[in-house]
């Protein structure tokens, strides 16, 4: 008897404009979340990294909120419940009594907080003539994965720089994930070179769907995001992609295709774990 094909869902990625007003950023996000559901029938909606604040170490303390009691968390919970959707809440600077994190929240159709994921790999780079940036000057790295069951699938969360680490994606594959979602804000140096490359690489590595969600590009910002939010299928094919401005893209995710790819190219079962092993899971 053949295995019953699994269903999927429609996902909307919101590439949002982000300005200095938290209230305006949040209001814009809520408007576009409602539009993505009512106009496009999205079951899952995903927001970009730092959607309620400008991206930059100098901004994190000012815009940080507690989770789940802060204004942004309350608003995301309410709109998820209102629309009956799963909401991947991009990221916001999270304030705790002891540290500040770059954190993604995930909300259920009932408005419940399903998961929080704190960015594990902090963005500390120095590219001469390009960009120097040190998140670790103000942020603390997380140490826990987040796996969310959605309509019979399992979805893992990473944030931006995390996508460069195939070990993290492998851990999610080991946990049975069918899709990985990365809110991110690659810049004008790394974006053209690596944004699509890494999304397709992680799709190929894990034979999973990959979604990357960027803020819209603002040439006048202190940190200029690349944009080009995209959905990549488990064959590593880009199936939906934004340009660089504010935009919503929608894709139908078919988890039967995940099963198909994994059956036809069974790398997971063919790994030579007698020579190498990445099964250890510390998160």
């Amino acid at each position: 008897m053949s295995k019953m094909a699994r269903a999927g869902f429609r996902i909307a990625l919101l590439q949002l404009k982000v300005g200095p007003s938290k209230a305006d950023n949040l209001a814009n996000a809520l408007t576009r979340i409602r539009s993505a559901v009512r106009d496009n029938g999205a079951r899952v909606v995903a927001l970009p990294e730092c959607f309620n604040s400008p991206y930059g170490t100098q901004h994190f303390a000012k815009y940080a909120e507690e989770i789940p009691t802060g204004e942004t968390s309350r608003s995301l919970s309410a709109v998820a419940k209102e629309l009956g959707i799963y909401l991947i809440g991009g990221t916001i600077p999270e304030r705790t009594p002891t540290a500040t994190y770059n954190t993604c929240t995930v909300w259920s159709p009932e408005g419940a907080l399903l998961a929080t994921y704190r960015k594990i790999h902090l963005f500390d780079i120095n590219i001469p003539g390009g960009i120097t940036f040190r998140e670790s000057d103000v942020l603390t790295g997380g140490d826990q994965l987040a796996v969310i069951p959605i309509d019979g699938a399992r979805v893992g969360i990473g944030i931006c720089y995390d996508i460069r680490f195939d070990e993290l994606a492998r851990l999610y594959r080991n946990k049975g994930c069918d899709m990985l979602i990365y809110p991110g804000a690659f810049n004008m140096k790394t974006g053209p070179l690596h944004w699509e490359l890494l999304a397709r690489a992680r799709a190929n590595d894990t034979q999973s769907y990959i979604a990357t969600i960027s803020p819209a590009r603002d040439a006048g910002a202190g940190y200029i995001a690349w944009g080009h939010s995209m959905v990549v299928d488990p064959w590593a094919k880009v199936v939906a992609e934004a340009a660089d401005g504010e935009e919503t893209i929608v894709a139908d995710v078919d988890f039967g295709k995940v099963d198909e790819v994994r059956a036809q190219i069974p790398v997971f079962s063919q790994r030579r774990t007698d020579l190498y092993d990445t099964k250890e899971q510390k998160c």
Side-chain angles (χ1 to χ4, degrees), residues 207-228:
Q207 300 172 308
S208 305
Y209 279 93
I210 303 292
T212 57
I213 314 96
S214 171
R217 189 181 305 171
D218 178 359
Y223 182 97
I224 304 174
W226 170 238
H228 293 275

Side-chain angles (χ1 to χ4, degrees), residues 16 18 25-26 29 47-53 72 76 89-92:
L16 300 174
V18 178
N25 294 334
L26 186 52
L47 308 181
E49 184 178 23
C50 283
F51 79 93
N52 74 344
S53 71
T72 301
L76 295 183
T91 83
I92 67 169

Side-chain angles (χ1 to χ4, degrees), residues 47-49 88 90-91 104 157-160 181-185 195 211-213:
L47 308 181
E49 184 178 23
I88 314 298
T91 83
C104 178
I157 304 295
I159 298 172
C160 200
I181 297 179
Y182 295 91
W195 178 257
T212 57
I213 314 96

Side-chain angles (χ1 to χ4, degrees), residues 110-130:
E110 295 73 38
L113 181 61
L114 292 177
T116 58
Y117 173 83
R118 292 166 170 167
K119 188 175 187 177
I120 289 176
H121 301 96
L122 298 181
F123 185 51
D124 288 2
I125 67 165
N126 181 17
I127 302 174

